[in-house]
Amino acid sequence: GVKSLAVVSGLPSAGATSLISNLADSIAASGRKVLVVDANFRRSHLAAAMGGEPDSKGLGDVLKGNLSLADAIRPAGGDVDLLSAGSVEHRVYELLTTPRMDEVLAEAASRYDLVILDLPPAVVAGDALALANKVDGTLLVVRAFQEQRGLVMRVAAQLNDVRGHPLGVVLNRPRN
């Protein structure tokens, strides 16, 4: 029943973007249409990781009203489409918590079997927690040997506190 999923890490370099790319490809291979959304306005990496243009028009432009959602989405291969973070000048963090963001998510969920959001690390920005309750579920990505247990527990508790519908924790890079 999950139509929208947010992937968040505690700290930078946990591997959330790589997880999203692989997860989207795996789900698309089962015949489902997937949209990946770069909602990390601070350090956008998803578009580059998926072969798109990092600063091309995208989510920020849609939220500003300069572009329709349909015009901002680009194919990323197979049944996976990409909505990049958008033009640098339109990546305004406050737009992520507006009613327009709710509309964008609802429209995307009506067109796709699954919408996956790449969020900034929870410790770096409050954006992740502000967006977590706008989706059906959240996954926390943790890099082994980088994040302390207390940090992981704190982020998990914060996701629960904001009704982020935590689905689980993914341990990334278990070996050095």
Side-chain angles (χ1 to χ4, degrees), residues 62-130:
V62 172
L63 295 175
K64 277 290 230 184
N66 298 341
L67 195 64
S68 72
L69 178 62
D71 290 336
I73 292 172
R74 300 285 176 254
D79 282 332
V80 178
D81 287 343
L82 168 69
L83 178 60
S84 69
S87 307
V88 175
E89 65 273 11
H90 294 139
R91 293 184 199 169
V92 179
Y93 318 120
E94 292 80 10
L95 293 175
L96 295 170
T97 58
T98 62
R100 178 66 182 135
M101 182 64 177
D102 296 337
E103 293 168 8
V104 168
L105 288 174
E107 183 180 345
S110 72
R111 293 179 179 200
Y112 291 87
D113 296 313
L114 182 63
V115 178
I116 306 174
L117 277 72
D118 187 7
L119 301 182
V123 173
V124 174
D127 309 353
L129 296 174

Side-chain angles (χ1 to χ4, degrees), residues 140 151-161 166 169:
L140 175 59
L151 173 77
V152 174
M153 295 300 292
R154 185 180 80 198
V155 172
Q158 288 173 332
L159 286 170
N160 197 42
D161 288 347
V169 177

